[in-house]
Every structure is written in C-alpha cells, then in structure tokens.
Amino acid sequence: MSSEELADLEDLGPVDYVILEWPGGRPTAEAAPMLVDLVDRGIVRLLDIAFIAKEDDGTITALDLDHLQGSIGAFSEFEGASSGLLDYEDLQDAGSALEPGSSAAVIIWENRWMAPLAVSLRRSGAQLVGSGRVPVQALLASLDALEATT
C-alpha cells in the first residue's frame, strides 16, 4: 500500500453497511436519487453496492445492473462501485437474511460527515469499542408506549 493510500485511510470516516430487502420483488429506483444526492453533497462516499436475489428454493444469486435496468436504472450511476470489501461469501451471508422470493441491495458507505471527528479521535488515542443502531421501528414503538402511559 502506498503512503498516499495509507494517508487516505487515516482520513476515513466510519464505514457502515445495510442490507435492504424488497420482499417478493425486485429493487426499485425510488431511493436512488436520494443516495446520489448524499454522494454528490459529500455526506457519504459509496464504497460498494451489490444486488442479490433469493430464489424460492433458497439459492442466492448476484444480480447485475444489466438485468435490473428497468427497475433500478437510477442506480446505474453507481455501476462498478466496488472497494473490494464485498465478496461472494458476504453476498451469500447477506442473502441468508432474506425471505425466499425477495431481492436486496447490499450497500457499504463511508460517513464522510463524521471523518474530521473520527480522525481527531484516532489521533488522540481513542478506539471504537462498541457500535450499534437503534431500529426506527423500536424507537417508534417506544414512543408509542410512552405516549400510552401519559
């Protein structure tokens, strides 16, 4: 790895991934313009995007953009986005979370908005020892329960 590549890694913000499932169907491009906007504004940097399908028999298949042009044409802007983080095994693991007959997008991105703080924390010796995400459904259920008690 060159010193330039190493310097780029030192300036990296937190990296997240999601598996987005479309039960019983193919991905749609409805959210693609929002993702494009986040990338264009420098809020996130898309590192990887892959599409998969889980057949009724449980077989997991990678889908390329050529096969999805009608349903996700707006994602074509990200064609070839690959950092090498996602491999065959990762897509098989992601597919295991899907219901048969569904498809999904697997997306890995850098949170560029957080990079300056992350760099500062690393330089001060801080280490990430835990991370998580509160599902929106859990938050809404908690707020509903709180409202019911007042």
Side-chain angles (χ1 to χ4, degrees), residues 32-100:
M34 291 176 209
L35 183 56
V36 169
D37 181 56
L38 290 172
V39 170
D40 287 348
R41 291 190 293 145
I43 295 171
V44 300
R45 175 171 42 171
L46 191 74
L47 300 175
D48 285 283
I49 187 167
F51 296 92
I52 58 175
K54 186 171 189 176
E55 305 302 327
D56 290 331
D57 67 1
T59 303
I60 299 161
T61 308
L63 304 173
D64 62 25
L65 290 174
D66 291 340
H67 292 102
L68 298 171
Q69 285 303 330
S71 58
I72 60 164
F75 281 109
S76 63
E77 181 163 332
F78 301 115
E79 187 168 8
S82 176
S83 66
L85 288 172
L86 282 176
D87 62 18
Y88 174 82
E89 286 184 33
D90 295 323
L91 296 180
Q92 294 298 305
D93 287 345
S96 69
L98 303 179
E99 291 295 321

Side-chain angles (χ1 to χ4, degrees), residues 20-29 31 51 72 75 98 101-106:
L20 305 170
E21 179 182 34
W22 283 268
R26 296 254 186 230
T28 65
F51 296 92
I72 60 164
F75 281 109
L98 303 179
S102 295
S103 59
V106 182

Side-chain angles (χ1 to χ4, degrees), residues 1-11:
M1 180 173 285
S2 72
S3 59
E4 186 175 307
E5 290 171 320
L6 186 56
D8 285 347
L9 290 177
E10 290 175 0
D11 293 336

